Protein backbone atom coordinates (compact mmCIF):
# COMPACT_ATOMS: atom_id res chain seq x y z
CA UNK A 1 0.00 0.00 0.00
CA UNK A 2 2.80 2.40 0.97
CA UNK A 3 4.67 1.51 -2.20
CA UNK A 4 1.61 2.46 -4.29
CA UNK A 5 1.29 5.75 -2.41
CA UNK A 6 4.97 6.69 -3.05
CA UNK A 7 4.62 5.68 -6.69
CA UNK A 8 1.61 7.95 -7.07
CA UNK A 9 3.49 10.85 -5.43
CA UNK A 10 6.47 10.41 -7.73
CA UNK A 11 4.15 10.35 -10.74
CA UNK A 12 2.51 13.59 -9.58
CA UNK A 13 5.92 15.25 -9.09
CA UNK A 14 7.10 14.08 -12.50
CA UNK A 15 3.95 15.41 -14.12
CA UNK A 16 4.33 18.78 -12.36
CA UNK A 17 7.97 19.05 -13.47
CA UNK A 18 6.97 18.23 -17.03
CA UNK A 19 4.36 21.02 -17.03
CA UNK A 20 6.82 23.56 -15.57
CA UNK A 21 9.49 22.54 -18.09
CA UNK A 22 7.00 22.85 -20.96
CA UNK A 23 6.15 26.39 -19.90
CA UNK A 24 9.79 27.28 -19.32
CA UNK A 25 10.94 26.22 -22.77
CA UNK A 26 7.87 27.48 -24.64
CA UNK A 27 6.76 30.98 -25.53
CA UNK A 28 4.60 32.96 -23.11
CA UNK A 29 1.17 31.35 -22.76
CA UNK A 30 -2.11 33.29 -22.86
CA UNK A 31 -5.06 31.79 -20.98
CA UNK A 32 -8.36 33.59 -20.48
CA UNK A 33 -6.86 36.85 -21.63
CA UNK A 34 -3.98 36.62 -19.15
CA UNK A 35 -0.38 35.93 -20.13
CA UNK A 36 1.82 33.52 -18.20
CA UNK A 37 5.41 34.68 -18.38
CA UNK A 38 8.12 32.24 -19.35
CA UNK A 39 9.93 30.69 -16.36
CA UNK A 40 13.69 31.22 -16.00
CA UNK A 41 14.29 27.45 -15.72
CA UNK A 42 15.35 27.15 -19.35
CA UNK A 43 18.06 29.77 -18.84
CA UNK A 44 19.47 27.78 -15.93
CA UNK A 45 19.40 24.46 -17.74
CA UNK A 46 20.80 25.73 -21.04
CA UNK A 47 23.46 27.85 -19.23
CA UNK A 48 23.32 30.78 -21.59
CA UNK A 49 26.03 32.57 -19.62
CA UNK A 50 28.60 29.83 -20.07
CA UNK A 51 32.03 31.37 -19.53
CA UNK A 52 33.70 29.32 -22.26
CA UNK A 53 31.17 30.56 -24.81
CA UNK A 54 31.63 34.16 -23.67
CA UNK A 55 35.39 33.89 -23.85
CA UNK A 56 35.16 32.44 -27.36
CA UNK A 57 33.52 35.71 -28.42
CA UNK A 58 36.56 37.73 -27.34
CA UNK A 59 39.20 38.65 -29.93
CA UNK A 60 42.24 36.35 -30.14
CA UNK A 61 44.57 39.34 -29.99
CA UNK A 62 44.46 42.72 -28.23
CA UNK A 63 42.00 45.02 -30.05
CA UNK A 64 43.70 48.03 -31.62
CA UNK A 65 42.27 51.51 -31.96
CA UNK A 66 42.06 52.06 -35.72
CA UNK A 67 41.65 55.84 -35.84
CA UNK A 68 43.13 58.62 -33.72
CA UNK A 69 40.53 60.43 -31.61
CA UNK A 70 40.43 64.19 -31.10
CA UNK A 71 41.44 65.42 -27.66
CA UNK A 72 38.51 66.53 -25.50
CA UNK A 73 39.32 70.11 -24.47
CA UNK A 74 36.49 70.46 -21.91
CA UNK A 75 37.06 70.29 -18.14
CA UNK A 76 36.61 66.72 -16.91
CA UNK A 77 35.15 65.11 -13.81
CA UNK A 78 37.67 62.35 -13.12
CA UNK A 79 36.89 59.30 -11.00
CA UNK A 80 39.52 56.70 -10.13
CA UNK A 81 38.59 53.56 -8.20
CA UNK A 82 40.13 50.22 -7.38
CA UNK A 83 42.40 48.37 -4.96
CA UNK A 84 45.13 49.65 -2.63
CA UNK A 85 47.21 50.85 -5.61
CA UNK A 86 44.60 53.56 -6.12
CA UNK A 87 45.57 55.99 -3.36
CA UNK A 88 49.01 56.98 -4.66
CA UNK A 89 47.76 57.03 -8.24
CA UNK A 90 44.99 59.41 -7.20
CA UNK A 91 47.47 61.79 -5.56
CA UNK A 92 49.38 62.34 -8.80
CA UNK A 93 46.20 62.33 -10.88
CA UNK A 94 44.92 65.12 -8.63
CA UNK A 95 47.91 67.25 -9.64
CA UNK A 96 47.00 66.73 -13.29
CA UNK A 97 43.43 67.70 -12.44
CA UNK A 98 44.51 70.94 -10.77
CA UNK A 99 46.91 71.82 -13.60
CA UNK A 100 44.27 71.30 -16.29
CA UNK A 101 41.08 72.51 -14.64
CA UNK A 102 39.55 69.10 -13.93
CA UNK A 103 37.94 67.77 -10.75
CA UNK A 104 38.75 64.40 -9.21
CA UNK A 105 37.21 61.88 -6.81
CA UNK A 106 38.60 58.53 -5.76
CA UNK A 107 37.58 55.32 -3.98
CA UNK A 108 40.38 53.16 -2.58
CA UNK A 109 39.09 49.70 -1.57
CA UNK A 110 41.87 47.70 0.08
CA UNK A 111 42.35 44.10 -1.11
CA UNK A 112 39.52 44.46 -3.62
CA UNK A 113 39.31 42.72 -6.98
CA UNK A 114 36.95 42.53 -9.96
CA UNK A 115 34.71 40.01 -8.16
CA UNK A 116 34.18 42.25 -5.14
CA UNK A 117 33.43 45.34 -7.23
CA UNK A 118 31.07 43.41 -9.51
CA UNK A 119 29.10 41.82 -6.67
CA UNK A 120 28.37 45.08 -4.82
CA UNK A 121 26.53 48.25 -5.81
CA UNK A 122 29.48 50.40 -4.65
CA UNK A 123 30.54 51.37 -8.17
CA UNK A 124 27.08 52.40 -9.34
CA UNK A 125 26.58 54.34 -6.10
CA UNK A 126 29.73 56.43 -6.56
CA UNK A 127 29.20 56.93 -10.28
CA UNK A 128 25.75 58.34 -9.51
CA UNK A 129 27.24 60.48 -6.75
CA UNK A 130 30.27 61.89 -8.58
CA UNK A 131 28.90 61.95 -12.15
CA UNK A 132 32.32 61.41 -13.79
CA UNK A 133 33.11 62.13 -17.41
CA UNK A 134 36.36 60.10 -17.27
CA UNK A 135 37.00 56.95 -15.22
CA UNK A 136 40.28 55.29 -14.28
CA UNK A 137 40.24 51.70 -13.00
CA UNK A 138 43.04 50.22 -10.90
CA UNK A 139 42.20 46.52 -10.56
CA UNK A 140 44.03 43.28 -11.24
CA UNK A 141 46.82 43.27 -8.67
CA UNK A 142 44.90 40.97 -6.33
CA UNK A 143 44.20 38.62 -9.24
CA UNK A 144 47.76 38.45 -10.51
CA UNK A 145 48.22 34.78 -9.70
CA UNK A 146 44.87 33.48 -10.94
CA UNK A 147 45.71 30.67 -13.36
CA UNK A 148 42.32 30.81 -15.10
CA UNK A 149 41.63 34.52 -15.65
CA UNK A 150 38.67 33.63 -17.87
CA UNK A 151 36.71 32.93 -14.66
CA UNK A 152 36.84 36.70 -14.00
CA UNK A 153 35.08 37.52 -17.26
CA UNK A 154 31.57 37.90 -15.76
CA UNK A 155 32.95 40.30 -13.14
CA UNK A 156 34.96 42.36 -15.62
CA UNK A 157 31.95 42.62 -17.91
CA UNK A 158 29.71 43.61 -15.01
CA UNK A 159 32.07 46.46 -14.10
CA UNK A 160 32.17 47.68 -17.70
CA UNK A 161 28.40 47.35 -17.90
CA UNK A 162 27.99 49.63 -14.88
CA UNK A 163 30.43 52.14 -16.39
CA UNK A 164 28.36 51.95 -19.57
CA UNK A 165 29.27 54.69 -22.06
CA UNK A 166 31.50 56.74 -19.75
CA UNK A 167 35.06 56.90 -21.17
CA UNK A 168 37.46 54.80 -19.12
CA UNK A 169 41.08 53.71 -18.83
CA UNK A 170 41.84 50.40 -17.14
CA UNK A 171 45.31 50.69 -15.59
CA UNK A 172 46.79 47.20 -15.51
CA UNK A 173 48.53 45.90 -12.37
CA UNK A 174 52.20 46.77 -11.71
CA UNK A 175 53.52 43.20 -11.89
CA UNK A 176 56.11 42.28 -9.28
CA UNK A 177 56.16 38.71 -10.64
CA UNK A 178 54.88 37.05 -13.78
CA UNK A 179 51.09 36.89 -13.75
CA UNK A 180 48.80 33.98 -14.58
CA UNK A 181 47.35 35.68 -17.63
CA UNK A 182 45.20 38.44 -16.14
CA UNK A 183 46.95 41.21 -18.11
CA UNK A 184 46.43 39.52 -21.48
CA UNK A 185 42.83 38.76 -20.57
CA UNK A 186 42.08 42.34 -19.52
CA UNK A 187 43.71 43.64 -22.71
CA UNK A 188 41.46 41.40 -24.81
CA UNK A 189 38.29 42.18 -22.85
CA UNK A 190 38.53 45.97 -22.66
CA UNK A 191 37.52 48.10 -25.61
CA UNK A 192 40.27 49.20 -28.03
CA UNK A 193 42.38 52.01 -26.62
CA UNK A 194 41.16 51.62 -23.03
CA UNK A 195 43.72 49.28 -21.41
CA UNK A 196 47.08 50.57 -20.22
CA UNK A 197 49.52 47.71 -19.69
CA UNK A 198 51.73 48.38 -16.68
CA UNK A 199 53.41 44.97 -16.67
CA UNK A 200 57.03 45.30 -17.76
CA UNK A 201 57.51 48.77 -16.26
CA UNK A 202 60.16 49.38 -13.61
CA UNK A 203 58.91 50.39 -10.16
CA UNK A 204 60.49 51.32 -6.88
CA UNK A 205 58.44 49.48 -4.30
CA UNK A 206 57.57 49.71 -0.61
CA UNK A 207 58.83 47.27 2.02
CA UNK A 208 56.24 44.67 0.94
CA UNK A 209 57.95 44.54 -2.49
CA UNK A 210 54.49 44.85 -4.08
CA UNK A 211 53.14 48.40 -3.86
CA UNK A 212 55.01 51.10 -5.82
CA UNK A 213 56.22 54.01 -3.70
CA UNK A 214 54.44 57.34 -3.91
CA UNK A 215 57.18 58.74 -6.16
CA UNK A 216 57.09 55.68 -8.41
CA UNK A 217 53.29 55.85 -8.58
CA UNK A 218 53.59 59.47 -9.74
CA UNK A 219 55.88 58.36 -12.58
CA UNK A 220 53.38 55.59 -13.30
CA UNK A 221 50.59 58.12 -13.83
CA UNK A 222 52.95 60.23 -15.93
CA UNK A 223 53.38 57.22 -18.24
CA UNK A 224 49.60 56.77 -18.45
CA UNK A 225 49.20 60.44 -19.38
CA UNK A 226 51.87 60.25 -22.07
CA UNK A 227 49.92 57.33 -23.55
CA UNK A 228 46.56 59.10 -23.20
CA UNK A 229 46.64 60.92 -26.59
CA UNK A 230 46.63 57.53 -28.33
CA UNK A 231 43.78 56.20 -26.18
CA UNK A 232 40.12 55.91 -27.09
CA UNK A 233 39.10 59.03 -25.14
CA UNK A 234 41.98 61.52 -24.74
CA UNK A 235 41.49 64.75 -22.81
CA UNK A 236 43.74 67.67 -21.91
CA UNK A 237 46.43 66.42 -19.52
CA UNK A 238 49.44 68.71 -19.49
CA UNK A 239 52.20 67.80 -17.04
CA UNK A 240 51.65 69.63 -13.72
CA UNK A 241 53.93 72.60 -13.11
CA UNK A 242 56.46 72.39 -10.29
CA UNK A 243 54.30 74.80 -8.33
CA UNK A 244 51.49 72.24 -8.24
CA UNK A 245 52.71 70.25 -5.27
CA UNK A 246 50.21 69.72 -2.49
CA UNK A 247 46.78 68.60 -3.54
CA UNK A 248 43.88 67.31 -1.49
CA UNK A 249 41.83 65.01 -3.69
CA UNK A 250 38.59 63.63 -2.32
CA UNK A 251 39.45 60.01 -1.50
CA UNK A 252 37.06 57.51 0.04
CA UNK A 253 38.70 54.57 1.85
CA UNK A 254 36.83 51.28 2.09
CA UNK A 255 37.88 48.46 4.39
CA UNK A 256 38.97 45.11 2.97
CA UNK A 257 36.34 42.38 2.85
CA UNK A 258 38.98 39.65 3.11
CA UNK A 259 37.45 37.43 0.44
Amino acid sequence: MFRKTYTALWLLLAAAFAVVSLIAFSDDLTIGGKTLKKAPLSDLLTDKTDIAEQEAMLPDTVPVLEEKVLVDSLPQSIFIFGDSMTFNLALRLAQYARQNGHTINSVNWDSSNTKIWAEHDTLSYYINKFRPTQIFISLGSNELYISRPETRLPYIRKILEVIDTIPYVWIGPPNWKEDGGINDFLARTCRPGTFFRSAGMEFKRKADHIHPTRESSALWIDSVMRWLPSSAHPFVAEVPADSVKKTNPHIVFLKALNK
Side-chain angles (χ1 to χ4, degrees):
M1 178 178 179
F2 288 109
R3 182 176 295 178
K4 289 183 179 179
T5 301
Y6 283 124
T7 302
L9 287 172
W10 278 112
L11 288 173
L12 284 172
L13 288 172
F17 182 78
V19 171
V20 172
S21 298
L22 176 63
I23 295 174
F25 286 94
S26 63
D27 295 330
D28 295 343
L29 300 178
T30 302
I31 302 175
K34 294 185 177 181
T35 300
L36 299 178
K37 290 294 182 181
K38 183 178 178 180
L41 180 63
S42 61
D43 289 342
L44 294 175
L45 294 179
T46 54
D47 191 19
K48 290 184 177 179
T49 58
D50 182 77
I51 294 175
E53 291 183 7
Q54 292 187 58
E55 189 190 6
M57 297 172 64
L58 295 177
D60 294 328
T61 57
V62 178
V64 178
L65 193 65
E66 296 181 357
E67 296 182 5
K68 192 170 183 179
V69 183
L70 293 177
V71 176
D72 189 342
S73 60
L74 295 176
Q76 303 295 317
S77 172
I78 300 171
F79 175 44
I80 178 169
F81 73 91
D83 53 35
S84 55
M85 303 290 174
T86 305
F87 173 61
N88 281 335
L89 293 177
L91 292 179
R92 180 57 171 169
L93 199 54
Q95 293 178 315
Y96 275 89
R98 176 171 291 186
Q99 174 70 38
N100 295 280
H102 310 312
T103 59
I104 181 171
N105 291 283
S106 174
V107 176
N108 181 105
W109 198 346
D110 284 347
S111 301
S112 65
N113 53 38
T114 57
K115 183 176 187 292
I116 288 174
W117 280 94
E119 290 183 342
H120 294 78
D121 63 357
T122 308
L123 180 56
S124 58
Y125 171 80
Y126 283 109
I127 285 178
N128 288 331
K129 182 177 181 178
F130 298 140
R131 300 292 178 182
T133 58
Q134 296 281 347
I135 291 179
F136 287 82
I137 308 165
S138 175
L139 286 173
S141 294
N142 293 313
E143 291 153 293
L144 208 65
Y145 298 137
I146 290 179
S147 59
R148 294 184 60 220
E150 66 273 10
T151 60
R152 307 318 254 188
L153 181 57
Y155 311 132
I156 296 169
R157 283 192 163 162
K158 177 61 179 178
I159 289 170
L160 297 181
E161 178 186 319
V162 173
I163 290 174
D164 197 22
T165 58
I166 303 172
Y168 71 88
V169 170
W170 195 307
I171 303 175
N175 287 38
W176 51 95
K177 288 186 179 179
E178 187 175 351
D179 62 76
I182 190 66
N183 274 291
D184 289 338
F185 196 76
L186 283 170
R188 290 170 54 212
T189 308
C190 291
R191 294 197 295 266
T194 60
F195 180 72
F196 178 84
R197 192 181 189 98
S198 307
M201 296 176 62
E202 294 291 331
F203 296 95
K204 289 184 179 179
R205 302 182 188 267
K206 297 181 180 180
D208 61 6
H209 304 296
I210 292 175
H211 293 80
T213 62
R214 182 170 297 185
E215 293 75 14
S216 194
S217 294
L219 295 174
W220 188 6
I221 281 292
D222 288 345
S223 296
V224 174
M225 290 312 191
R226 283 195 297 271
W227 165 84
L228 197 65
S230 61
S231 71
H233 302 284
F235 58 92
V236 177
E238 294 181 3
V239 178
D242 292 339
S243 57
V244 182
K245 294 188 182 295
K246 257 196 166 184
T247 55
N248 296 301
H250 178 236
I251 302 177
V252 177
F253 292 94
L254 303 179
K255 293 182 180 179
L257 293 181
N258 297 321
K259 71 171 187 176

